[in-house]
Amino acid sequence: MSERLQPGDVAPAFTLPDADGEQVSLADHQGRKVIVYFYPAALTPGCTKQACDFTDNLELLAGAGYDVIGISPDSPEKLAKFREKESLRITLLADPDKKVTEAYGAYGEKKNYGKTYLGVIRSTVVVDEEGKVERALYNVRATGHVAKIIKDLGI
């Protein structure tokens, strides 16, 4: 089980491939706030809803100084299909070995239909301009989550 991040922690640095196979680093966003969210799988109903909500609110978030990065264990090829199928405009990154997901505390025990298993915990971490954790939210719901973040951030 990975340790959950707390406000004030330094956000773990990462470099991962995006849907086009290009390397994207957290450091690329230095000087801007970044909403890093972790989701279990592209092209599934809950994850699609969440990604579409972020895309629908991207201009509002960007206007308030926030970049949005979605991270899942999917391959860049699957992320490209996800982006095309749903017309997503957010940055999607592939973390197939789940090292970044674990570093952010977004991997661990989950329960589904009475079974316990290890998996990606739907989580959102807001990183400030200096690379520190501003908020860390775990076990979030896909539906309504983006609206809640916007409200909580006062955007």
Side-chain angles (χ1 to χ4, degrees):
M1 289 270 287
S2 42
E3 198 63 35
R4 293 190 166 179
L5 297 174
Q6 301 294 324
D9 289 350
V10 173
F14 62 79
T15 301
L16 293 170
D18 68 7
D20 299 314
E22 302 291 324
Q23 296 295 312
V24 175
S25 299
L26 181 61
D28 298 341
H29 298 269
Q30 189 78 31
R32 285 186 61 81
K33 294 182 180 196
V34 187
I35 296 170
V36 182
Y37 81 97
F38 296 86
Y39 62 99
L43 300 166
T44 57
C47 298
T48 298
K49 171 86 179 102
Q50 190 176 21
C52 288
D53 279 355
F54 271 119
T55 293
D56 292 346
N57 288 287
L58 193 58
E59 283 178 30
L60 178 69
L61 291 164
Y66 291 89
D67 294 335
V68 178
I69 298 174
I71 298 178
S72 74
D74 298 304
S75 67
E77 296 78 23
K78 187 172 179 188
L79 295 178
K81 279 188 194 131
F82 187 33
R83 181 184 63 196
E84 303 315 314
K85 181 174 187 282
E86 301 299 336
S87 303
L88 301 175
R89 295 190 329 271
I90 56 176
T91 301
L92 300 173
L93 302 182
D95 184 23
D97 62 12
K98 302 176 198 73
K99 288 209 180 334
V100 174
T101 304
E102 286 181 15
Y104 275 76
Y107 187 80
E109 262 188 23
K110 295 174 68 165
K111 283 188 184 356
N112 198 13
Y113 300 113
K115 292 206 185 322
T116 301
Y117 62 98
L118 288 176
V120 176
I121 298 163
R122 194 180 301 278
S123 309
T124 301
V125 176
V126 180
V127 180
D128 71 15
E129 300 91 336
E130 277 86 53
K132 288 206 169 34
V133 174
E134 189 176 299
R135 292 165 193 264
L137 310 162
Y138 295 94
N139 294 311
V140 302
R141 296 201 167 280
T143 305
H145 178 61
V146 175
K148 183 180 177 346
I149 288 175
I150 289 169
K151 183 173 179 270
D152 290 353
L153 294 174
I155 299 171

